[in-house]
Each structure stands twice: as structure tokens, then as C-alpha cells.
Amino acid sequence: MTESKKQECPVMITEADAYLFAQGTHYEIYEKMGAHEAEVDGQKGVYFAVWAPNAKYVNVIGSFNNWDIFKDNMERISDGGIFALFIPDAKVGDMYKYVITTSDDRKLYKADPYGNYAQLRPDNASIVTDLSGFKWTDTVWQTEKQTKDVLKQPMAIYECHIGSWMKHPVSDPEKETGFYNYREFADRFVEYCKDMKYTHVELMGIAEHPFDGSWGYQVTGYYAPTSRYGTPEDFMYLVNTLHKHHIGVILDWVPAHFPKDEFGLANFDGTCLYEHPDARRGEHPDWGTKIFNYGRHEVSNFLIANAMFWINKFHIDGLRVDAVASMLYLDYGRENGQWLPNEFGNNKNLDAIEFFRHLNSMMKKKYPGTMMIAEESTAWPLVTGDPKEGGLGFTFKWNMGWMHDFCSYMKLDPIFRKDNHYKMTFAMSYNESENYILPLSHDEVVHLKCSMLNKMPGFYKDKFANLRIGYTYMFTHCGKKLLFMGQDFGQDCEWSEERELEWHYLEDKEHSSMKYYTQKLLEIYNKYPCLSENDNNWKSFEWINADDKDRSIYSYVRKSENGRNNILVVLNMTPMERKDYQVGVDKKKKYKLLLNSDDVDFGGNGAVIPKEITAKAVECDNRPYSLTFDLPAYGAALFLF
């Protein structure tokens, strides 16, 4: 390859590219690896590049050469094992694969690890595509997010699986998927999110994956939006449309493991290239998947550049990093003798720790305003702490402890709630330790766990009353919010990727009223800064009474920084109405009713709470003043003051 050709074809890999990749610091390596349109000596074609250091030979096969495995032999262009080749007349839309000849002369047919588009499963060839043609119109959004303090902003995330949110009717399920295209989905979905007043959407399963039932958590195409719903440009349209309507986009991102499919990353060049070579660190015994070798620079570069790829090319606003705990602990999911301790003899994965610190530090530097969210289920310290101070550098952490306690408590028959009162107060004892998101995700409504509605005890009407009060607790508690699709209107069935949400239930008054109540909670959450501007400290939260376990009542205040528009929250977790209920307050002033969960418009019984109550000089809850009102059964009351 001559120097003149390198100058004429800027996508070609230089010595500097190869060096940075080997160091693990080429953050735009996706611009060079994979398949890119190019022009060499006036000839248009496609430049292919792949990393396969232990291969004897690598060939490109595709629709441009009739899949001839002997025709287009790639050149090894670096000591680190990068192979490259310019193929004239190859073009956008052509399908291709790499044929890896291993050291023992086996032939492996591999999809492109850096490919940007792929065939629809069960086919799996990569497809040459161009990511530069879409006309973005979200400049204002992109600029503003770099300066906003996300910790002080309301964040109400709608977790969504595109393939099962809504489907087209199909005549033959064996042949037809019914999937909405990204563009069709965008136009319907954005109206729903705007109407409900969600601030963000978290999309499941966008990176290419072979098996629908994995929900996108076993990825084979890390650099490709799944073709289930259209082209990469169609996906850009979706993100751009959401931004146009002031809705942020978060993607699930899966650097913890990858599947063993023959065309994927596993055993890529005949050796353990992307995965750790020792099975005690390179395989998940429970999941049947491979684990990345985070200590290998080219592998960590593949992942870190991939995270930045989604931000750069698709304008994504944040990544929710899946299964962080499985990466941090060497003994995760393993019995004694199945795992290999680190050099200090303990169970911390030092390579994964360094990977996260590197990733999050560089993301903050290169793409300010991007949220990095950890799904981390243990008490690992400083997940959202500064890497310079020993933290991992994430923006937020899912509060799995809060979620577990909340679901455990809300499922209880009310007679047993008094003995589990602490479950709804415990999360505030550690609230300052991290920047939290409160998740009620898809994981809580699958595999016989029931929908959120059917977790609730009691008769059918009681279930809705319980869900209303449960969501009120969630939306007034410290922490950003995440709610899985269908749970906002009280879907009956637990979620399945094979069917759409039960939209027909919105014709039923209980479900439509539940949707309206969730919408009202979202409206209040977005409107009043006291519910979001100081989520990770005690400045904005004060218990009025956290100890009324015998009556299963909780009362607390959310306070704003400027002292105005504070909200008093009172929650009755039993079916017993509390006549003349008294709650202590600090000031003698008027308290305006903001929300009564028992209102008939929300599906309640219509118990009346005065629109305005003036505090009286009667001591209660160790405070000099108090309010008195009838607190409804399974009732939530919010007062503005």
C-alpha cells in the first residue's frame, strides 16, 4: 500500500492508528475498522479492515465477488494483527463476511465486529452502509445537554422494547414479525411520551442480536442498530424525532458478555481473541456466554470506542450499562473452585475496574452531558464516585436495593406491612452514597414475577389503589425514576417480547384511570423542582413520621432549594380509612391539596380531602403545628406549601 494511496483514501489505517489501537486509546477506531466507502486512484470501492492477529489468512467474501473465498485476500498491515483490503466496485448495500483461516487451517465465517448494519436474523452477513447521509436537526438539544446539570433535572425514564411496544397485525406469525419500523415507531411513540410527560426513553435491544428471546442482551453486532426495525438511518430518524420533542434517548449497552454464535466474536480468529482465555474468567457458567478480556487493550478499545460510537454517530444521550456487578466480581455466579482470584488474592476484577474508570473518564471528557448509568446490584462503593478518588465514574446507579424492598413490601397483605415497615424507609439511610435511579424495569415483570398490577394484594379495585399509592411513593422519593412500558396503565399480564402491550385495556375505566394517575404524577414530578433538584442528599428530604408502623402510614416533605413550593407527602398503606388523621408540620400556613389518589378521576372511591388546610397550633410528630384531615384507605395525599 503506497503512501499516495493512504493520502488519497483517508479511511485507510495508518501506523498511528495501529499504535493507538494497540494502546487501547483509539476512541474513533470505528472510523477505520469495518467497511467504509473509499476512493483510491479515482476508483470507488470499499475499504475493509479487521483485527485477527492469530489468523493465517483473512479473505473478504460478499455479493461483490460471488462469495468466492479465494478471490479477495486481505493484507496484514500491522504487527498487531490488523488485516485490510480495498475492493474496487464494492458498494453500499453489499453483503459481506470475513473468512478467517486459522493457524490449523480451519475456515471460520465471521460477521464484521465493526459492521454498521446486518441482515435480519436468522441470516447474519454484514452489510456495507453509510452513516454520514442523515440530516440531523437536533443541534440545540445537543448543545443544551452539555451544560445542564443532570443531577438537578427531573428524569422520568420510560423503558421500552420496540418490538413489543406495539405490533402490526400479522396473518402468519411463522413468517411475519409485525415489527414497527423505527420511523413508524417514532411517530406513534413520541406522541405517547409527550402525552405522559416522560423526559427520557430507555431502549432495549438496539445493538444487533440473533435471538429475540435474549431481548438484545446477547449482542453480536455492537456497532449495528438491529435490522429488525429498519436501517441505521431509520434509527437516526427515531433519535432525531425524540430530540425534536425534548425527549432524551438512553440505550441499554452490554459490555459484560457476548454469545457463542459461530459468526460472532467468540473464538474470532481461532483463538480466544475478545474473550478471556481462562474459562474461569472468560465464560459465564450460568448464562452460557463469553466474557470480554478487559485487560487486553484492543478489546477494551473495541468496547470504549463502541460506547462513544453510539454517542457520536447516533446522538444517544446516555448508556445504561448492563450487568455491572458480573464484571466487577471474579466470583460472580461461580462456586468455589470455579473462579480465579486476582493478584492480591481477592475477588475484584481489577481489569474491569480500570475499564470502567477509563471509559467513564474519557466519556465525560469527550462527550460532556452524556449519562453513564450502572445496573449494579451490590453495595460496591463509589459506583458514581470520581475515579480520581477511587470511584468508577458513572453518572447514576440503579437503586436495586430500593426496588427489591419496594416490590417485597407492596406485595404483602396489608396486615403484614406493619412488620415490614422498615422496607420503605431503609433506602433513605444510604441515599447519599450514590446518585440513584429508582427502577421498576422489565426484569420485575417477567418470568412469573407478575405485572406490577398483579403484584398488588387485594381485590381487583384494591390492586389499582395499591399501585397508585406505590407509584406516589416512587415519584416523591429521592432518586430519578424508571418505569417499564405497560406498567403506567396497569397492564394485567407480565411482559413478553412475543406480543404487544395490552392497549385494549385502556378502553376499561380502571386502566385508563391508572394511566391518567401516572400522567398526573409525571406532571407534578416535572413541575416542582423539590422532587428532583437535590436527590442525593438530605437537603430536599425530611421525614415527618417514619415510624408509624402500626398504622402503616408514612409522611415526609420534599423541599426545594429556594424554600418555595415544597410538597408534604402522606401515604396510607392499609385499607383502613383514618378519620381526622393528624400530621405534624413546622409552619402555620395554608397547605394546598395537590393530589388525592382516591379521586374518582383516578379510579378511587371519591373520598374528600379539603382543597386547602390551614395548619393549627396543635403539636404533632414533634412539630409545633399540624394538619387534620380524613386520610382515605390506600390513600396518598400531596400538599403544596
Side-chain angles (χ1 to χ4, degrees):
M1 194 179 300
T2 66
E3 183 63 29
S4 63
K5 286 185 179 180
K6 287 182 182 179
Q7 293 173 350
E8 197 170 354
C9 180
V11 301
M12 288 184 177
I13 292 176
T14 65
E15 289 184 8
D17 292 325
Y19 173 79
L20 291 174
F21 180 56
Q23 297 300 305
T25 56
H26 198 318
Y27 304 116
E28 290 83 34
I29 189 64
Y30 51 82
E31 301 282 16
K32 300 299 183 82
M33 303 287 272
H36 300 276
E37 282 189 297
E39 185 174 319
V40 174
D41 292 338
Q43 175 71 58
K44 292 183 178 180
V46 174
Y47 184 78
F48 296 88
V50 65
W51 179 56
N54 300 298
K56 183 182 289 187
Y57 312 111
V58 181
N59 291 71
V60 187
I61 59 173
S63 50
F64 42 78
N65 64 10
N66 294 317
W67 304 93
D68 185 340
I69 66 171
F70 301 108
K71 185 173 182 181
D72 289 310
N73 187 28
M74 303 181 79
E75 176 187 358
R76 185 187 291 263
I77 64 169
S78 77
D79 293 337
I82 298 175
F83 289 77
L85 181 66
F86 174 74
I87 300 182
D89 298 324
K91 61 188 183 304
V92 167
D94 283 341
M95 294 179 289
Y96 69 100
K97 280 190 176 183
Y98 297 117
V99 181
I100 311 285
T101 301
T102 66
S103 59
D104 56 355
D105 291 322
R106 289 176 292 126
K107 294 283 192 293
L108 305 178
Y109 293 77
K110 295 289 188 177
D112 189 348
Y114 289 86
N116 300 142
Y117 190 32
Q119 287 182 292
L120 178 63
R121 51 86 179 111
D123 297 319
N124 51 52
S126 301
I127 301 174
V128 179
T129 194
D130 177 17
L131 299 181
S132 65
F134 185 76
K135 303 301 181 185
W136 291 94
T137 59
D138 64 345
T139 303
V140 173
W141 173 273
Q142 291 289 81
T143 301
E144 287 181 349
K145 80 176 183 183
Q146 295 182 32
T147 58
K148 285 183 178 179
D149 184 352
V150 295
L151 298 181
K152 290 185 173 294
Q153 302 296 317
M155 185 183 300
I157 305 167
Y158 185 78
E159 187 188 25
C160 182
H161 179 264
I162 292 178
S164 58
W165 186 74
M166 190 174 286
K167 288 177 176 284
H168 292 295
V170 297
S171 57
D172 186 355
E174 295 286 326
K175 298 179 180 179
E176 303 173 64
T177 64
F179 292 146
Y180 272 52
N181 176 276
Y182 289 118
R183 292 174 185 262
E184 295 175 311
F185 173 77
D187 295 337
R188 298 203 67 168
F189 181 73
V190 73
E191 291 303 319
Y192 186 83
C193 280
K194 282 174 59 184
D195 179 54
M196 291 299 294
K197 300 177 178 59
Y198 288 103
T199 64
H200 294 74
V201 58
E202 180 179 317
L203 296 174
M204 296 167 57
I206 295 303
E208 193 59 86
H209 52 284
F211 177 48
D212 290 5
S214 78
W215 312 330
Y217 294 112
Q218 295 195 14
V219 177
T220 50
Y222 276 82
Y223 285 82
T226 178
S227 57
R228 285 168 175 78
Y229 319 123
T231 67
E233 190 169 286
D234 292 334
F235 182 61
M236 292 175 179
Y237 175 90
L238 167 59
V239 176
N240 195 60
T241 300
L242 288 165
H243 285 172
K244 179 181 177 182
H245 293 280
H246 311 289
I247 298 168
V249 183
I250 300 165
L251 293 191
D252 278 1
W253 187 59
V254 192
H257 63 134
F258 58 91
K260 298 179 180 179
D261 297 69
E262 290 185 358
F263 68 92
L265 297 178
N267 195 41
F268 188 79
D269 63 357
T271 69
C272 293
L273 187 63
Y274 287 90
E275 63 268 41
H276 197 286
D278 191 316
R280 292 172 293 178
R281 292 191 183 177
E283 293 198 26
H284 271 300
D286 293 337
W287 299 345
T289 52
K290 297 286 189 179
I291 301 173
F292 285 103
N293 185 356
Y294 307 105
R296 187 162 192 170
H297 291 160
E298 297 91 342
V299 175
S300 66
N301 199 155
F302 171 83
L303 290 170
I304 292 172
N306 179 246
M308 295 181 180
F309 164 83
W310 290 104
I311 312 306
N312 183 0
K313 296 296 186 181
F314 293 98
H315 294 200
I316 299 304
D317 304 298
L319 299 175
R320 198 279 291 186
V321 184
D322 183 63
V324 168
S326 74
M327 299 170 64
L328 294 173
Y329 296 96
L330 295 168
D331 59 347
Y332 185 91
R334 300 175 187 275
E335 303 293 336
N336 290 335
Q338 292 182 335
W339 61 282
L340 187 65
N342 64 27
E343 60 191 86
F344 302 109
N346 64 49
N347 66 344
K348 293 182 179 180
N349 189 331
L350 303 179
D351 292 332
I353 294 168
E354 176 55 32
F355 166 78
F356 282 132
R357 288 172 176 165
H358 184 180
L359 165 67
N360 291 326
S361 296
M362 291 309 302
M363 186 68 81
K364 185 175 183 179
K365 180 179 180 180
K366 293 178 68 65
Y367 297 101
T370 297
M371 294 175 289
M372 298 298 291
I373 302 166
E375 187 226 357
E376 202 284 313
S377 56
T378 74
W380 188 280
L382 298 175
V383 171
T384 57
D386 191 329
K388 294 178 181 177
E389 299 174 1
L392 298 182
F394 284 95
T395 319
F396 293 105
K397 171 181 171 173
W398 273 19
N399 194 335
M400 307 295 280
W402 174 91
M403 177 276 299
H404 180 270
D405 288 345
F406 172 83
C407 290
S408 175
Y409 180 90
M410 293 304 300
K411 286 189 291 187
L412 291 170
D413 185 297
I415 198 171
F416 299 116
R417 285 179 174 173
K418 63 179 180 294
D419 298 320
N420 291 269
H421 194 76
Y422 66 93
K423 288 185 176 179
M424 299 289 264
T425 62
F426 182 57
M428 281 307 301
S429 69
Y430 58 83
N431 182 66
E432 289 185 297
S433 63
E434 303 280 4
N435 302 322
Y436 284 117
I437 291 175
L438 310 183
L440 293 175
S441 74
H442 67 277
D443 275 332
E444 308 318 310
V445 293
V446 292
H447 301 322
L448 303 180
K449 294 180 183 177
C450 299
S451 65
M452 289 306 300
L453 179 68
N454 281 320
K455 291 184 197 302
M456 303 297 117
F459 295 109
Y460 199 55
K461 192 174 182 67
D462 294 334
K463 291 179 181 293
F464 285 98
N466 269 280
L467 195 57
R468 288 195 299 273
I469 195 171
Y471 285 171
T472 308
Y473 166 76
M474 175 187 184
F475 276 91
T476 57
H477 194 282
C478 288
K480 311 308 181 188
K481 325 299 177 187
L482 179 141
L483 193 60
F484 184 57
M485 64 182 195
Q487 309 315 306
D488 50 9
F489 62 81
Q491 172 154 312
D492 269 3
C493 292
E494 67 178 22
W495 172 64
S496 169
E497 81 284 350
E498 296 180 352
R499 59 177 181 265
E500 72 171 13
L501 297 183
E502 297 172 320
W503 295 109
H504 60 279
Y505 274 114
L506 288 176
E507 298 173 7
D508 177 87
K509 187 178 187 304
E510 281 88 355
H511 292 274
S512 61
S513 297
M514 186 69 229
K515 176 177 177 286
Y516 178 48
Y517 187 75
T518 307
Q519 182 185 48
K520 190 67 177 177
L521 284 174
L522 283 158
E523 178 185 308
I524 291 170
Y525 173 68
N526 280 290
K527 183 176 180 178
Y528 296 103
C530 66
L531 296 175
S532 60
E533 64 186 358
N534 276 310
D535 272 325
N536 64 342
N537 59 57
W538 283 96
K539 292 180 181 178
S540 75
F541 188 98
E542 180 183 359
W543 287 112
I544 299 297
N545 192 336
D547 302 315
D548 193 356
K549 69 182 185 65
D550 289 335
R551 294 187 295 181
S552 296
I553 295 176
Y554 302 88
S555 54
Y556 50 91
V557 170
R558 293 301 306 273
K559 297 181 287 188
S560 64
E561 288 186 346
N562 63 16
R564 297 191 295 271
N565 291 327
N566 301 320
I567 293 176
L568 168 65
V569 181
V570 185
L571 307 173
N572 178 8
M573 295 293 186
T574 74
M576 299 293 292
E577 181 187 18
R578 302 297 177 180
K579 287 284 189 180
D580 297 322
Y581 179 77
Q582 197 173 7
V583 58
V585 292
D586 289 316
K587 296 181 180 180
K588 185 178 182 179
K589 60 184 302 183
K590 292 179 179 179
Y591 290 74
K592 297 179 180 179
L593 182 67
L594 193 60
L595 186 72
N596 172 9
S597 68
D598 202 49
D599 193 301
V600 291
D601 289 341
F602 303 139
N605 293 315
V608 176
I609 300 175
K611 298 296 184 184
E612 189 173 272
I613 304 175
T614 301
K616 296 181 178 180
V618 178
E619 185 177 348
C620 182
D621 298 322
N622 295 315
R623 287 164 172 79
Y625 305 98
S626 62
L627 309 181
T628 301
F629 61 95
D630 294 340
L631 180 60
Y634 290 135
L638 271 57
F639 296 92
L640 187 68
F641 67 98

